[in-house]
Amino acid sequence: MHFISQELEDYIEQHSEKEPPLLAALNKETYQKILLPRMLSGHFQGRVLSMLSKLIRPVNILEIGTYTGYSALCLCEGMQENGQLHTIDIKEELVDFQRKHFDKSPWGKQIFQHLGEAVAIIPTLDIKFDLVFIDADKENYLNYFELIVPKMNKGGIILSDNVLWSGKVLEPLNPKDLSTKILLEYNQLLANDPRVETVLLPIRDGLTVSRVL
């Protein structure tokens, strides 16, 4: 996922906002105890998510793909006082881990965890969202987008992670590689769909910012 040198990434991180202590502790514990810790958003991307949320000032946030809760807490930093964050994940073994860190934050009572398949849960949420972060199974990105758009407030922002997929979007497509195939279709959809305007940022593994028109 390194599209620029590690040295330059380190410089960027050193000259960006510092990682809050709660998130630094969550980051450390994820690497100590949880499989595939590289899935964590991490310091720099976390500060990007925080900054975007602070600029948007969302009331209601939806996150698809909780993992250990790092990105959820970053998104909460810009949430309005009466706001809610709904986060969906399929890994039951991570629910208590997430909740422990959520409850250490100022937003514990405003964060709602949903366990199960997002394609089944999203239609049950009778809420209009101002900010959505998609960071789950790539095979369902197209499905998530179609489920989310009708639930967005006008001007709402959809963030999509991993859209450069370690550079595989530029390589010859392996017919058996469904994730890359779907991401190629997804990126094309976001670039051309009249319901949104989109910019793809080369942050970490690629982060798309789409504004609902």
Side-chain angles (χ1 to χ4, degrees):
M1 290 195 297
H2 293 282
F3 299 116
I4 60 176
S5 70
Q6 185 63 56
E7 291 79 11
L8 193 53
E9 285 193 6
D10 291 342
Y11 181 87
I12 290 168
E13 188 171 300
Q14 291 162 10
H15 291 81
S16 297
E17 190 70 19
K18 303 304 180 187
E19 185 178 40
L22 173 63
L23 291 174
L26 172 52
N27 195 334
K28 182 177 180 180
E29 189 171 354
T30 297
Y31 272 83
Q32 289 174 336
K33 299 179 179 179
I34 308 297
L35 290 174
L36 303 174
R38 63 177 290 188
M39 290 174 58
L40 192 85
S41 290
H43 175 188
F44 174 60
Q45 186 176 8
R47 291 305 85 204
V48 172
L49 295 175
S50 170
M51 181 66 76
L52 289 171
S53 184
K54 288 169 182 173
L55 291 169
I56 297 162
R57 295 292 291 139
V59 175
N60 293 317
I61 305 171
L62 174 63
E63 178 184 54
I64 305 172
T66 316
Y67 191 47
T68 56
Y70 190 100
S71 54
L73 291 172
C74 293
L75 295 169
C76 281
E77 292 180 29
M79 183 172 62
Q80 295 190 34
E81 289 184 8
N82 62 333
Q84 297 181 351
L85 182 140
H86 292 260
T87 185
I88 305 171
D89 206 285
I90 60 171
K91 294 185 174 64
E92 185 176 0
E93 66 273 18
L94 293 179
V95 170
D96 291 341
F97 185 97
Q98 299 159 5
R99 178 46 59 185
K100 178 179 74 172
H101 291 280
F102 291 160
D103 286 345
K104 290 179 181 178
S105 79
W107 312 284
K109 294 181 180 179
Q110 296 167 269
I111 300 175
F112 298 87
Q113 296 161 283
H114 301 271
L115 180 64
E117 298 284 348
V119 290
I121 292 171
I122 294 169
T124 71
L125 301 175
D126 187 20
I127 302 170
K128 284 285 190 177
F129 293 101
D130 306 296
L131 176 60
V132 173
F133 182 42
I134 305 175
D135 187 18
D137 56 312
K138 312 313 161 193
E139 292 88 346
N140 270 310
Y141 266 37
L142 292 166
N143 295 327
Y144 295 149
F145 182 77
E146 295 298 341
L147 288 170
I148 286 166
V149 170
K151 293 182 175 290
M152 297 295 296
N153 284 318
K154 185 176 181 179
I157 299 295
I158 300 171
L159 305 174
S160 309
D161 201 15
N162 304 117
V163 291
L164 294 179
W165 208 222
S166 300
K168 290 181 181 180
V169 292
L170 293 180
E171 298 172 0
L173 180 63
N174 180 338
K176 297 181 180 180
D177 186 352
L178 182 59
S179 293
T180 302
K181 178 179 181 294
I182 294 297
L183 281 173
L184 287 167
E185 294 177 14
Y186 184 71
N187 290 340
Q188 192 68 34
L189 171 66
L190 294 188
N192 297 309
D193 196 306
R195 294 172 293 179
V196 295
E197 57 181 352
T198 292
V199 60
L200 198 166
L201 304 175
I203 292 172
R204 242 177 136 235
D205 196 26
L207 179 70
T208 297
V209 181
S210 301
R211 177 174 173 268
V212 178
L213 302 175

